[in-house]
Amino acid sequence: MEQRSPTAPTRPAAPREPEGGVTHGTFLTAADDAHVPLRERTLGNGTPLRDLAPRPGPTTGPHDALHAEVSDQLWRRGLAAVQLDEPLPNDRFTAFGAFLGTAMPERDPAVRPYVADEVILNLRSEHRRTDDVSLQPFAGNRLSLHTESSGGPVERQPRYIVLMCVAPGDASQGARTVLVPMRDVARRLAPRTTAVLSRTRYRHHPGVPTIARKAGDRWVFSFRDFLADELHWTHEGPEGDATAVNDALRDLLAAMYAPGHARAVHWRRGLLVVIDNTYFFHGRTAGSAAPEARLRHLKRLRIV
């Protein structure tokens, strides 16, 4: 969920020459890259996005009905949205997570004040927009499209992100969760681009998967939009692919923010959304910086 400012004024440094079949380089977004205005339209609350339509679901009674509904939606589209009468209490929320898998403990010292029962992260919009990366999930900042924990090995990346709305905040606040199907992103990429990305990974992140990888007959991405930060990469491929890596990353970012694919979650109290981290990129539009705005409060589980 780490984010920074949205643009950079200069072109990235040229990649290094291949060394033993491995190329190292750096990508940096430039202000005139094609994806920059696309990102602004997608995350800037200025472009209508398709709303995610939830199905009604039970709050009380046996768990089986809720489990069955979520399982069916995840199987069909890698995404589930159920409107409950009321948010689940913490014990039922963690029990629901246990149905999906194993909840990841929230051990980052920066988020400890927001953690309940070791695994529930309370995403409360308590801060105005900030450059402090550790506070941005709890502030009015927009969050760029990303795969959760893209800088970790596959076994430490959550399969599911579970979000439940306790309080949606002011209607004027504007913060919406944005979902983009990886399938639609992959369809916009040329075969050469996915081939380059399938041999490229983050540098300085031991065990991290390649940015694109095949899972059966579909492409899965482990990537986030670094905004103005440098992305240091390693590419294992034929000589001459060094320059192509930065072009492939630009193509990927343009495909992620291409119009027509994004869906928006308009949060309502009791709305439960489960995102398959191998099917969707997710992000967030900016919220209001007004001090009188009511807080938005979501609860989150990350499930492996």
Side-chain angles (χ1 to χ4, degrees), residues 12 21 52 67 74-75 80 98 103 113 122 140 145 149 152 161 164 232 244 259 274 283:
L52 180 66
H67 294 175
L74 287 174
W75 181 82
N122 289 284
L145 291 175
S149 303
I161 302 112
M164 181 178 65
H232 303 288
V274 183

Side-chain angles (χ1 to χ4, degrees), residues 86-140:
E86 285 292 324
L88 300 173
N90 281 0
D91 59 344
R92 281 204 63 186
F93 190 47
T94 54
F96 174 75
F99 160 71
L100 293 171
T102 301
M104 299 175 67
E106 298 290 347
R107 296 195 174 113
D108 186 342
V111 306
R112 289 301 300 171
Y114 301 93
V115 175
D117 299 334
E118 298 187 352
V119 294
I120 299 174
L121 185 64
N122 289 284
L123 294 165
R124 294 189 292 264
S125 56
E126 295 180 349
H127 303 276
R128 295 191 179 201
R129 296 174 196 179
T130 175
D131 291 330
D132 186 337
V133 171
S134 66
L135 292 179
Q136 286 177 357
F138 314 98

Side-chain angles (χ1 to χ4, degrees), residues 282-301:
H282 66 284
R284 188 180 74 194
T285 65
S288 171
E292 67 275 8
R294 291 193 299 271
L295 297 183
R296 187 182 79 154
H297 180 191
L298 305 180
K299 292 186 177 184
R300 188 195 76 178
L301 293 170

Side-chain angles (χ1 to χ4, degrees), residues 28 59 69 102 123 133 246 261 273 288:
L28 183 64
T59 299
E69 176 62 33
T102 301
L123 294 165
V133 171
N246 284 340
H261 301 317
V273 174
S288 171

Side-chain angles (χ1 to χ4, degrees), residues 51-96:
D51 287 348
L52 180 66
R55 297 276 299 272
T59 299
T60 59
H63 298 181
D64 292 351
L66 177 59
H67 294 175
E69 176 62 33
V70 168
S71 296
D72 178 65
Q73 292 190 42
L74 287 174
W75 181 82
R76 287 188 290 107
R77 57 178 180 170
L79 177 69
V82 178
Q83 181 62 59
L84 305 174
D85 297 329
E86 285 292 324
L88 300 173
N90 281 0
D91 59 344
R92 281 204 63 186
F93 190 47
T94 54
F96 174 75

